[in-house]
Amino acid sequence: MSIPEIITTETPWTSNYEAALKQLHADPEHGLSAAEAVRRLDLYGYNRIESGKKINPLMIMVNQFISPFMLLLAIAAGLSFFFQEWLDGIAIMAVIVINAVIGFFMEFQAERSMEALKKLTIVPARVLRDGRLSEIPSEELVSGDIIFIEGGDMVTADARVIKSTQLQTDESALTGESLPIEKNVSVLPEKTPLAERYNMLYKGTFVTNGNAYALVVQTGMHTELGTIASMVQKAGQAATPLEKKIRSFSKKLIWMTVILLVIIFIAGIINGQNLVQMMETSIALAVAAIPEGLPIVSTLALAFGMLRMARHNVLVKKLSSVETLGGTNVICTDKTGTLTQNKIEAAFIQINEGASRINLDIAGASIKWMDGNEIEDRAAYDQLCCIAALCNTATYYSEGGTEKESGDPMEVGLLKMVYCGHTKQLDYIKEYPKLDEVPFSSDTKVMATFHGSKQGYYIAAKGAVEELLHSCTSVLEGSEVVALDESKRNNWLNYAEQRAQSGLRMLAFAYRNTSEKESYFLHQLTLAGLIGFIDPPRPEVSQAIAECKSAGIKVVMITGDHPATAKNIALQLGLANQEDEVMHGNAMKPYAELTAEDKTKWLNTSVFARVSPAQKLDLVSLYQEKKMVVGMTGDGVNDAPALKKADIGIAMGQRGTQVAQEVADMVLKDDAFSSIVLAIKQGRTIFDNIRKFIIFLLSCNMSELFVIATAAILNLHFQLFPIQILYINLITDVLPALALGVTKAAPHIMERKPFSSSEPIIDRERWKALFVYSSVIAIATISAVFASHGLLHADEAWNTDLCNNILFYTLIFSQVLHVFNMYFERGVSFFKSEVFTNRYVWYAVFACTILALSAYWIPAIRDVLKITIHGWKDWSIIIVFAFLSLLINQLLKRLKVII
Ligand code: ATP
């Protein structure tokens, strides 16, 4: 086929779709060939929106220098140069550079992690290629492709509708119009505004109802979404509540530090200290004591946590969700696919004359009848197969021994059954071309299709048994159609109930032949029979549910399935007891009408069946009214409101519609319930870790403040030099804090109750511990100086430099060892704690020790820091007192004086 290099359709809504197809050399029956698709992809490029915001390392670097802390340091350096303290000046400049480099790497890493997370969301598209409908990454769509979309899908390119069935889209993302818009194949005037182009579909919008085939006319940056670049470059992530808490907390600390600094400064001046020296000390202390790095370290911990979760199939879309996860105390989960394996297989057939379990042999394309193969010869069974093949939007075929499938797993299960039968799906489709459809919705719980046939028309319908029975007036018995009276109706309901009790998911099938074309056709149907599907529970779920129980998290099953099926699965998973009642959707009043008694009943129920999406929303409202933090799973387009309202909306990566995935806070790539529990555990761990490094950083900083304040107020003859303070912080603030940020979960983390969002990061108990830790370190440090003098140099005059050095090193080592105090679970032994067993903590301790000693080993640094220790005895004092501080703090922990 010779086609021009670049094919465009400027105004595809102005001509009929045949013209558009012709213009783009597209074939509505077969789609593009694979080779032609590749050629066009080379020509047009990938179908993606290039985000305008790229990580700019230079800007990140420049930003490091524009902070009040850097300014303070610059002033300190300036002062040093002014008073010709060259070495100090240069050293402070070095500190500025090192700080900036560390800050740069942390921020760069955080940005990169966020970018990596964004890339994890790839939306698939269903496209007709080489005559087959298959699923490809939407990035590979090209102009001329024929796509198939249905309710819940995201439109992934601009496309002209060529065939539609009750298609409605939500274009609010593009036009701001929040009501669903009906789409069709009409021809429109050229000047039609975007919001009224009813024959066009636009990238980034959603299908809320129906389905359609459409011709891709523009991709990537050429789409409407691409051209409105500003819409795409969404604002950066807003600060999470935790980050906000940390920021306001840091502000409070600044004030506390400033007050202490003023006291130290005044005491120094009163005691006749050098003014410049005191100013420099104050600045160094301000820089050291104010935890300006906290927000970025916590962002980093959150981002790393998100990446770690992504490796475990959990995609968390917002940083703030990680925190909310930690506090989740009720999980509302659906059943199919989350608690069960979603390998839905037809396993049972009931027609009027009998019932049989069946086993599909895909390799041999045959059905094994376990109880009665005479069913195979019945008219009702033929009807079942015909309905299963026609009333279906999934695809299934076996090619060269490999199975290809897409669409709803239960519908795929039906197609597999058809595949194993006498007549193939394609033959049914040829005989009965589809003309219209009532798409499946979890509200109606039924689906129906309208087809042309040799005799006239044929209607195929399937759905939840009690729902479809409402539309049936007759039943196929043998080869006769007889009226479906009340007793027959009850019989069928009983058949379904009995099978559901054994865990089968039951679906009813009905049909009607008619001679006239009807627009409303879901009535006066003839029931053909029932098919039961098995969908066994996932093996790991029982354990995950038990874990939730011990973690104080309530698990509630909310399913659209039959109550008996729901109960059977709930019993198998330990989610409910035999005596527990299942609440039926019919028995659930609207939220506004609930009495206190109803509410209590709802709160005490753990299995809800035949629930509509609106009722899911009501349940979320009720839990939130009771101040619970709700995680809610959902997959359908109608679940979107409940997902949005829940504190954590959880969508399914495999089964979920793209709409659900878009509005959810978290996407489970493997659809598994146990991943939610894993994510909650991660959320708790991250919160714990953030707490750990905040406490660690603050207690280290406070211990410095205490040491300096004591020396200044008591007018001791030794003091830390400003440059030493900066050095201590370079060593102890960065690596141990980062290592704490990646600590594994504490041993009993899932046995604790969820933390409440109103709980402060540092509660009273932790403030007390913080104060005690810092005091112990400060006292041990100052005692080391006196011990060294008393034990080793009693008969010499006080050696100010030596005293200073002992102060310096004892403080460093005490702080480095202090990292091992950072576990807060009672009853956990020191050696088994998550910190002691964290190898990164050990790496950090090792690296810090080397860095600290290099100040002694490297002459240049030694000179700047004025290090002059000579004998091993003084070193021993330093080491003993550093360990002593750890020992005392451990003892106080053991005695439960502190946490
Ligand atoms: P869960 O909410 O746990 O995922 P579910 O899949 O049964 O359970 P829905 O998808 O809302 O929930 O389905 C509700 C009922 O509608 C099902 O139990 C089944 O009887 C019927 N049903 C489901 N899918 C289809 C379909 N594709 N066509 C016709 N009926 C369906």
Side-chain angles (χ1 to χ4, degrees):
M1 183 174 16
S2 107
I3 55 170
E5 275 281 282
I6 299 279
I7 337 164
T8 48
T9 37
E10 287 298 326
T11 49
W13 59 92
T14 55
S15 50
N16 59 27
Y17 70 84
E18 288 93 345
L21 283 165
K22 212 162 153 200
Q23 209 174 351
L24 287 179
H25 299 266
D27 175 349
E29 298 298 321
H30 297 93
L32 297 176
S33 69
E36 176 59 14
V38 170
R39 198 188 78 84
R40 293 192 187 196
L41 192 63
D42 275 349
L43 215 60
Y44 309 125
Y46 281 98
N47 173 33
R48 58 179 162 228
I49 306 286
E50 306 296 345
S51 131
K53 189 174 165 256
K54 284 254 176 315
I55 302 180
N56 182 347
L58 192 71
M59 273 322 288
I60 298 180
M61 194 65 195
V62 170
N63 277 337
Q64 302 307 315
F65 291 97
I66 332 178
S67 83
F69 305 97
M70 288 296 196
L71 197 74
L72 273 178
L73 276 177
I75 295 175
L79 276 174
S80 304
F81 287 129
F82 185 75
F83 291 101
Q84 302 191 347
E85 307 236 1
W86 304 114
L87 220 52
D88 265 14
I90 293 170
I92 297 175
M93 296 290 283
V95 169
I96 293 182
V97 171
I98 296 172
N99 255 326
V101 169
I102 294 172
F104 168 80
F105 275 114
M106 285 204 204
E107 210 170 314
F108 187 64
Q109 189 58 44
E111 294 268 343
R112 280 225 329 226
S113 309
M114 299 307 291
E115 278 232 328
L117 285 166
K118 262 191 240 150
K119 285 198 184 127
L120 291 173
T121 359
I122 291 179
V123 183
R126 286 168 85 183
V127 60
L128 202 59
R129 293 254 175 104
D130 287 318
R132 282 246 152 89
L133 204 55
S134 49
E135 206 167 274
I136 60 164
S138 59
E139 292 200 336
E140 291 171 18
L141 282 180
V142 289
S143 299
D145 263 330
I146 308 289
I147 48 171
F148 174 72
I149 45 153
E150 58 184 336
D153 284 355
M154 190 193 234
V155 180
T156 47
D158 287 2
R160 167 73 158 92
V161 180
I162 58 175
K163 189 170 160 195
S164 75
T165 313
Q166 300 190 6
L167 183 68
Q168 286 185 345
T169 59
D170 172 348
E171 298 192 340
S172 53
L174 200 63
T175 59
E177 171 58 62
S178 58
L179 289 176
I181 298 161
E182 292 202 8
K183 298 280 173 169
N184 50 44
V185 294
S186 58
V187 176
L188 298 166
E190 194 180 331
K191 294 246 167 339
T192 313
L194 185 72
E196 288 166 24
R197 288 182 205 152
Y198 300 125
N199 56 13
M200 291 291 296
L201 298 171
Y202 290 103
K203 186 176 172 76
T205 61
F206 289 118
V207 183
T208 52
N209 192 33
N211 58 39
Y213 282 91
L215 165 74
V216 173
V217 290
Q218 293 291 8
T219 58
M221 291 307 281
H222 301 292
T223 58
E224 290 295 331
L225 190 68
T227 45
I228 311 170
S230 62
M231 281 204 50
V232 188
Q233 283 144 34
K234 286 187 194 141
Q237 295 241 6
T240 75
L242 184 65
E243 285 176 309
K244 280 189 201 143
K245 261 191 204 171
I246 291 179
R247 271 182 210 158
S248 78
F249 175 75
S250 299
K251 271 194 201 131
K252 274 190 212 139
L253 280 173
I254 293 179
W255 283 113
M256 275 171 55
T257 315
V258 167
I259 294 170
L260 254 171
L261 280 182
V262 171
I263 297 174
I264 294 175
F265 189 79
I266 295 173
I269 300 297
I270 294 174
N271 291 332
Q273 301 268 350
N274 172 317
L275 186 72
V276 178
Q277 180 97 28
M278 272 325 289
M279 273 176 77
E280 280 190 2
T281 305
S282 306
I283 290 176
L285 257 187
V287 173
I290 296 169
E292 78 278 13
L294 273 190
I296 185 72
V297 180
S298 48
T299 308
L300 208 64
L302 288 170
F304 275 163
M306 285 164 83
L307 280 177
R308 212 174 325 141
M309 285 193 214
R311 277 201 295 277
H312 288 103
N313 290 323
V314 180
L315 217 83
V316 181
K317 298 204 299 192
K318 279 190 295 185
L319 278 185
S320 56
S321 311
V322 180
E323 308 159 33
T324 322
L325 266 173
T328 306
N329 48 18
V330 51
I331 307 175
C332 301
T333 170
D334 52 6
K335 172 182 70 68
T336 315
T338 316
L339 301 176
T340 65
Q341 298 181 11
N342 213 21
K343 288 188 192 130
I344 305 183
E345 210 170 271
F348 174 82
I349 287 183
Q350 170 99 45
I351 58 170
N352 195 62
E353 295 87 355
S356 174
R357 287 172 296 138
I358 57 168
N359 230 333
L360 303 183
D361 171 13
I362 298 285
S366 65
I367 297 182
K368 284 203 185 80
W369 295 87
M370 318 296 278
D371 307 311
N373 61 356
E374 75 283 358
I375 290 178
E376 201 174 355
D377 305 322
R378 309 286 167 163
Y381 173 66
D382 284 345
Q383 287 296 345
L384 275 185
C385 291
C386 180
I387 301 163
L390 295 176
C391 185
N392 204 314
T393 55
T395 26
Y396 171 80
Y397 56 90
S398 181
E399 198 177 56
T402 46
E403 294 177 56
K404 299 260 167 72
E405 55 182 64
S406 67
D408 176 54
M410 189 175 70
E411 297 201 335
V412 171
L414 282 174
L415 292 185
K416 283 184 183 170
M417 187 192 88
V418 174
Y419 175 81
C420 294
H422 308 299
T423 315
K424 301 296 168 212
Q425 190 199 11
L426 280 180
D427 300 325
Y428 283 118
I429 292 175
K430 260 186 216 142
E431 196 176 337
Y432 301 96
K434 185 160 89 179
L435 304 174
D436 201 355
E437 180 178 331
V438 179
F440 171 72
S441 120
S442 350
D443 278 316
T444 58
K445 298 184 173 59
V446 289
M447 165 182 179
T449 45
F450 193 83
H451 305 262
S453 76
K454 283 186 200 118
Q455 293 81 25
Y457 299 98
Y458 181 79
I459 298 151
K462 68 182 196 306
V465 183
E466 65 276 23
E467 297 301 330
L468 194 65
L469 277 177
H470 288 313
S471 311
C472 293
T473 46
S474 55
V475 55
L476 188 59
E477 291 185 355
S479 47
E480 269 178 62
V481 174
V482 297
L484 186 69
D485 59 25
E486 209 46 41
S487 93
K488 284 193 182 20
R489 199 177 285 272
N490 286 337
N491 283 347
W492 281 97
L493 284 173
N494 282 339
Y495 294 149
E497 169 94 25
Q498 272 168 21
R499 294 297 158 182
Q501 274 169 6
S502 59
L504 287 182
R505 182 182 161 91
M506 299 304 292
L507 208 66
F509 293 75
Y511 71 101
R512 175 158 58 93
N513 285 300
T514 173
S515 52
E516 275 168 43
K517 188 142 194 247
E518 300 171 20
S519 53
Y520 174 71
F521 47 87
L522 195 62
H523 57 94
Q524 288 183 307
L525 302 177
T526 303
L527 182 70
L530 311 180
I531 295 181
F533 299 81
I534 39 165
D535 183 17
R538 290 175 180 257
E540 71 286 357
V541 172
S542 305
Q543 163 73 25
I545 289 180
E547 210 170 335
C548 285
K549 278 191 184 155
S550 74
I553 302 165
K554 184 179 166 71
V555 182
V556 180
M557 182 201 281
I558 303 181
T559 175
D561 213 338
H562 194 285
T565 318
K567 175 119 183 212
N568 179 286
I569 300 287
L571 284 175
Q572 288 188 53
L573 294 171
L575 203 156
N577 297 323
Q578 196 65 47
E579 61 275 11
D580 287 345
E581 264 182 49
V582 175
M583 188 170 291
H584 195 291
N586 287 347
M588 294 169 76
K589 288 187 213 154
Y591 182 63
E593 294 169 22
L594 288 181
T595 61
E597 199 184 328
D598 294 328
K599 287 184 182 174
T600 318
K601 202 161 172 206
W602 282 31
L603 290 170
N604 289 331
T605 302
S606 49
V607 183
F608 295 83
R610 290 291 192 229
V611 170
S612 72
Q615 290 169 330
K616 282 192 181 182
L617 192 65
D618 287 352
L619 267 164
V620 177
S621 306
L622 177 65
Y623 290 128
Q624 286 180 338
E625 182 193 307
K626 300 289 169 202
K627 298 274 173 293
M628 293 163 109
V629 181
V630 193
M632 163 71 81
T633 69
D635 45 17
V637 58
N638 300 350
D639 289 336
L643 288 179
K644 263 195 202 158
K645 182 152 176 58
D647 300 273
I648 293 278
I650 308 164
M652 302 300 146
Q654 294 170 9
R655 191 163 36 94
T657 55
Q658 288 156 8
V659 178
Q661 296 186 19
E662 182 68 16
V663 301
D665 304 295
M666 186 167 114
V667 180
L668 303 181
K669 286 262 167 197
D670 58 358
D671 291 13
F673 178 79
S674 47
S675 301
I676 307 176
V677 183
L678 190 126
I680 291 184
K681 190 170 172 180
Q682 284 288 344
R684 289 184 174 198
T685 310
I686 293 170
F687 182 74
D688 253 19
N689 289 348
I690 291 179
R691 236 179 188 174
K692 280 182 179 130
F693 67 64
I694 293 182
I695 296 178
F696 177 73
L697 287 180
L698 291 191
S699 41
C700 288
N701 292 352
M702 237 149 86
S703 66
E704 285 155 30
L705 277 173
F706 287 170
V707 167
I708 294 168
T710 314
I713 294 165
L714 299 183
N715 197 15
L716 300 178
H717 49 275
F718 48 83
Q719 183 57 290
L720 285 173
F721 302 127
I723 193 70
Q724 288 177 331
I725 304 169
L726 296 176
Y727 195 77
I728 295 177
N729 280 282
L730 272 188
I731 294 184
T732 57
D733 271 10
V734 182
L735 295 176
L738 285 179
L740 284 175
V742 291
T743 304
K744 294 230 170 72
H748 306 295
I749 200 161
M750 289 304 268
E751 285 156 39
R752 288 186 231 154
K753 297 282 155 270
F755 80 93
S756 111
S757 52
S758 56
E759 210 175 296
I761 308 173
I762 310 282
D763 52 10
R764 206 171 248 262
E765 204 178 12
R766 284 176 175 77
W767 268 119
K768 186 173 127 196
L770 224 156
F771 189 78
V772 174
Y773 291 142
S774 339
S775 308
V776 169
I777 295 177
I779 293 169
T781 307
I782 294 177
S783 307
V785 181
F786 286 102
S788 147
H789 184 78
L791 296 174
L792 306 176
H793 315 282
D795 39 0
E796 301 163 22
W798 282 94
N799 176 343
T800 315
D801 282 346
L802 180 68
C803 293
N804 159 280
N805 286 184
I806 291 181
L807 205 61
F808 174 67
Y809 270 114
T810 317
L811 193 54
I812 290 191
F813 290 134
S814 305
Q815 289 191 357
V816 170
L817 288 174
H818 176 49
V819 72
F820 291 112
N821 288 322
M822 293 299 107
Y823 63 98
F824 304 101
E825 269 185 2
R826 290 249 151 91
V828 172
S829 88
F830 178 75
F831 298 106
K832 292 219 172 94
S833 75
E834 67 277 13
V835 182
F836 193 84
T837 52
N838 175 357
R839 66 190 150 123
Y840 296 105
V841 166
W842 282 100
Y843 297 155
V845 167
F846 182 71
C848 288
T849 312
I850 297 290
L851 279 173
L853 291 177
S854 55
Y856 177 71
W857 290 328
I858 302 171
I861 310 184
R862 187 159 57 194
D863 288 348
V864 173
L865 294 174
K866 304 191 177 69
I867 308 290
T868 55
I869 310 177
H870 297 301
W872 63 268
K873 286 184 184 160
D874 284 309
W875 279 112
S876 310
I877 296 269
I878 290 171
I879 291 165
V880 166
F881 275 83
F883 272 98
L884 208 61
S885 72
L886 176 65
L887 206 74
I888 295 171
N889 274 329
Q890 275 297 317
L891 203 70
L892 294 172
K893 267 168 112 73
R894 200 57 67 85
L895 294 174
K896 302 201 169 100
V897 177
I898 48 172
I899 188 172

